[in-house]
Amino acid sequence: MGYSVWSRVLDVLFPPKCAFCGRIVDGGGYRVCPACQKELPFLPGAAAERKGEFFTLCVSPLSYQGAVRKSIHRYKFSGKDGYATTYGKLVADCVREHLPGEYDSITWVPLSKERKRERGYDQAMLLAMAVALELGDVAAETLRKVRHTSAQSGQADAAARRANVLGAYALTDPALVEGRQFLIIDDVLTTGATISECARVLLTGGAEQVVGATLALTQQKK
């Protein structure tokens, strides 16, 4: 699909850059330079999969390290919301490979009102919408965060992460959930506590199954 004249002018004035290393790339939404396509820590096969307490399976195309970690930090904390388009294609490709036929609805892990006000946008919502667009689908808001919590990254261990998010989410409308199979989107999977809690709420509301997808996952300690 060709770009408009205005898009081409913008690409000349503000050359698009790789979402991971900052090198200038060809115009377009998928902004990963050839070097990063070869060097990024992509997760092959079963390494991309993680099972959880309430979600059947969560998949991620990348390991949360190095350039991936730095890119996600820019996305979340430095206003680089345009990365969502690139991330969305990577996650969508991973979903096609690992989760065909496992969901009929797409949703996301929501931010609290306080966190969204700080950042100016909900990064998981933008990612979910980008993933859905790549999959020829739509993402719908089914959850809201009813209790502001401390950042999960600041919690000491898996038990603390579970306790931190317990009761933090609620359904927006039970009618959107009952009998559905959900794909829930977030940016990073660490212990899985956040997606597990969201999945628990969805299942309690009548969902039949919950699977997940994130851009990256942290490596479990042996």
Side-chain angles (χ1 to χ4, degrees):
M1 182 173 65
Y3 289 95
S4 67
V5 173
W6 179 240
S7 295
R8 292 180 183 276
V9 170
L10 287 177
D11 282 349
V12 172
L13 296 175
F14 306 100
K17 296 180 180 180
C18 175
F20 296 97
C21 71
R23 295 186 183 98
I24 293 175
V25 295
D26 293 336
Y30 183 52
R31 296 176 178 177
V32 181
C33 73
C36 283
Q37 290 181 41
K38 293 180 180 179
E39 297 168 5
L40 286 176
F42 285 99
L43 296 170
E49 302 178 349
R50 183 85 56 86
K51 294 182 179 179
E53 185 177 3
F54 292 103
F55 59 86
T56 306
L57 191 68
C58 186
V59 301
S60 313
L62 295 164
S63 176
Y64 186 61
Q65 58 179 283
V68 174
R69 183 175 184 274
K70 291 176 181 177
S71 178
I72 293 174
H73 276 223
R74 292 193 299 272
Y75 176 58
K76 293 172 69 171
F77 307 120
S78 298
K80 298 294 186 179
D81 54 315
Y83 287 1
T85 302
T86 294
Y87 293 171
K89 177 170 175 51
L90 292 169
V91 175
D93 287 347
C94 190
V95 168
R96 289 191 191 98
E97 179 180 352
H98 296 272
L99 297 173
E102 295 296 324
Y103 66 93
D104 53 36
S105 301
I106 301 174
T107 191
W108 63 87
V109 174
L111 281 184
S112 66
K113 291 180 180 178
E114 293 86 349
R115 196 79 73 205
K116 186 175 180 180
R117 190 159 50 242
E118 289 174 7
R119 295 183 186 171
Y121 54 92
D122 183 331
Q123 81 278 350
M125 180 188 74
L126 295 181
L127 178 55
M129 290 182 171
V131 171
L133 186 64
E134 286 288 336
L135 294 172
D137 208 330
V138 295
E141 183 179 26
T142 59
L143 296 163
R144 57 192 174 91
K145 196 165 188 180
V146 295
R147 179 171 62 81
H148 183 59
T149 60
S150 301
Q152 287 288 72
S153 58
Q155 305 307 308
D157 53 30
R161 284 173 175 260
R162 287 195 297 271
N164 190 46
V165 295
L166 184 63
Y169 302 94
L171 298 178
T172 58
D173 182 354
L176 296 175
V177 172
E178 190 169 1
R180 311 293 292 180
Q181 297 183 335
F182 282 95
L183 169 64
I184 187 167
I185 304 293
D186 203 4
D187 48 14
V188 179
L189 184 76
T190 303
T191 64
T194 301
I195 287 184
S196 282
E197 177 61 13
C198 289
R200 184 188 69 80
V201 173
L202 290 168
L203 292 170
T204 301
E208 291 186 355
Q209 174 176 255
V210 179
V211 294
T214 66
L215 176 66
L217 62 78
T218 59
Q219 299 302 300
Q220 293 178 311
K221 295 180 180 179
K222 301 288 186 176

